[in-house]
DNA sequence: CCGCTATGGGACATTGATGTCCCAGAGTGG
DNA sequence: CCACTCTGGGACATCAATGTCCCATAGCGG
């Protein structure tokens, strides 16, 4: 009855805040352990399991919403990076920096390839398109290696950013040095200059 | 049941072969979906669920054995690469090639960070030591970038190899081109030469 | 002060995976 | 041909997670 359903329009701030807390907690917990219980997530979010169920009927629904939210956050961050402006290499740096900034969600998404599969159903999202365009622009400008597939370069970028975020999470890299490490590797590989 | 099944059932080697089939199937299935059922694994291995239970009492036991087996395979492959011999860059190429060769197991291990955690309990394994030694040797020789932590370089190598294996799995890269793509990226990053 | 909403927590029913047993069939070696 | 081993599959018992209800209560706004 009167299920407080519809999206975040007109909802008292409380509901949006609780909802957000649950989404964040879910992303964090599920990134660490994909088999985490709903109870675990509720605990992390500091809400009752009942409350969690009030906001998300299914586990599936919850996960889907976290995925969607994460994609949205990442997309927003990358969009703000305005990859179509400026030198390709500088734009790439902004992209990496933006990705690192939402590292938690990145870790969450990458930790479950299943989500990645669902993503293929939807239209190619703006994030990938922007990144792809940047890569091709850089290749055309002779800045990025034109002899390898844009696909591969994109994979490399995501992989290194992911790696950097994980390294930061485990303390292997200082949080502020992630972008720099990733960029240096993207520019030079692992070779001395 | 049994169409073209095992031709020699009483032979000692048979048990090992069945066991191996289960381990391989488990690695493959679990790499794709961590929540896969024991029934799924049994099906992939083309054995009955009962048989699987005869070889591995627990799900936990099975997973542990797959981890151990995978580490062993990877370790063997890398050891055969004799990373302490020859030019660092050539040795690195051999390392990458060896890792790619056991890509399925790599995908399995990386898909569940939990396994990675257990690994920290044990002594630092030979694989990491060999790889680390190679990296430091290369840095000393001025071949690898001495200004970044060996830790980071190691992460990058694993990340790119993983990425390459995944790309191969999804058809984005031809299986035989993985080592080349990874090495090119390690040598030049994503920049034009 | 009153009512409304959101919440937390407990009490179920349900479901799906898991682990155990047992039995009959097939292939092998003696 | 007989005994033995390994196997697949079915029949449970168990268990943990999940999803549903319901009720008492705290907080917020009118």
């Amino acid at each position: 009855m009167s299920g407080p359903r519809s999206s975040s329009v007109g909802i008292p701030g409380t509901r949006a805040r609780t909802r957000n807390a649950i989404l964040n907690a879910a992303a964090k917990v599920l990134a660490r352990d994909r088999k985490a219980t709903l109870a675990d997530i509720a605990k992390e979010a500091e809400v009752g399991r009942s409350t969690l169920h009030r906001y998300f009927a299914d586990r599936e629904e919850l996960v889907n919403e976290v995925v969607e939210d994460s994609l949205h956050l990442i997309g927003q961050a990358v969009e703000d990076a305005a990859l179509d402006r400026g030198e390709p290499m500088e734009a790439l740096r902004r992209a990496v920096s933006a990705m690192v900034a939402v590292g938690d969600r990145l870790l969450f998404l990458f930790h479950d390839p299943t989500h990645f599969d669902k993503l293929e159903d939807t239209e190619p999202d703006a994030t990938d398109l922007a990144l792809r365009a940047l890569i091709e622009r850089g290749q055309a400008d002779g800045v990025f290696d034109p002899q390898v597939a844009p696909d591969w370069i994109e994979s490399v970028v995501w992989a290194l950013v992911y790696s950097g975020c994980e390294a930061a999470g485990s303390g292997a890299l200082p949080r502020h040095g992630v972008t720099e490490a990733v960029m240096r590797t993207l520019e030079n590989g692992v070779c001395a200059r």
Side-chain angles (χ1 to χ4, degrees), chain A:
Chain A
M1 42 201 64
S2 78
R5 263 242 35 86
S6 54
S7 43
S8 47
V9 190
I11 291 183
T14 306
R15 284 197 65 82
R17 210 164 29 116
T18 301
R19 180 191 156 89
N20 224 44
I22 295 176
L23 287 174
N24 283 326
K28 181 176 175 184
V29 173
L30 290 178
R32 187 169 51 83
D33 174 18
R34 191 192 151 221
K35 303 202 63 173
T37 299
L38 293 186
D40 295 334
I41 297 173
K43 186 180 169 188
E44 172 72 27
E46 293 178 310
V47 300
R49 199 163 66 89
S50 321
T51 301
L52 191 152
H53 275 293
R54 271 184 208 107
Y55 283 79
F56 307 95
D58 277 343
R59 174 185 243 275
E60 187 185 352
E61 184 179 324
L62 170 62
V63 172
N64 285 339
E65 302 253 23
V66 178
V67 171
E68 189 180 337
D69 188 55
S70 299
L71 289 175
H72 178 70
L73 284 178
I74 295 174
Q76 195 63 45
V78 172
E79 184 185 333
D80 290 347
L83 302 189
D84 56 340
R85 309 198 57 181
E87 290 299 320
M89 193 57 79
E90 271 313 306
L92 181 59
R93 176 180 299 271
R94 291 197 301 274
V96 169
S97 187
M99 293 169 183
V100 170
V102 290
D104 281 346
R105 296 309 186 100
L106 246 170
L107 260 46
F108 160 74
L109 285 177
F110 276 68
H111 266 313
D112 193 349
T114 305
H115 306 153
F116 200 77
D117 295 345
K118 291 178 187 172
L119 195 150
E120 292 179 359
D121 293 346
T122 72
E123 75 238 16
D125 71 322
T127 305
D128 267 338
L129 289 180
L131 188 53
R132 180 66 59 91
L134 168 61
I135 291 169
E136 287 169 356
R137 180 163 70 94
Q139 286 183 322
D141 285 7
V143 180
F144 299 153
D145 189 345
Q147 289 190 262
V148 298
D151 264 2
W152 172 246
I153 294 185
E154 192 180 343
S155 296
V156 169
V157 172
W158 286 113
L160 290 185
V161 169
Y162 170 84
S163 217
C165 289
E166 208 172 49
S170 70
L173 271 184
R175 185 76 57 174
H176 65 276
V178 173
T179 301
E180 197 46 43
V182 170
M183 283 306 298
R184 189 180 180 92
T185 304
L186 285 173
E187 291 183 40
N188 298 303
V190 299
C191 296
R193 313 198 180 201

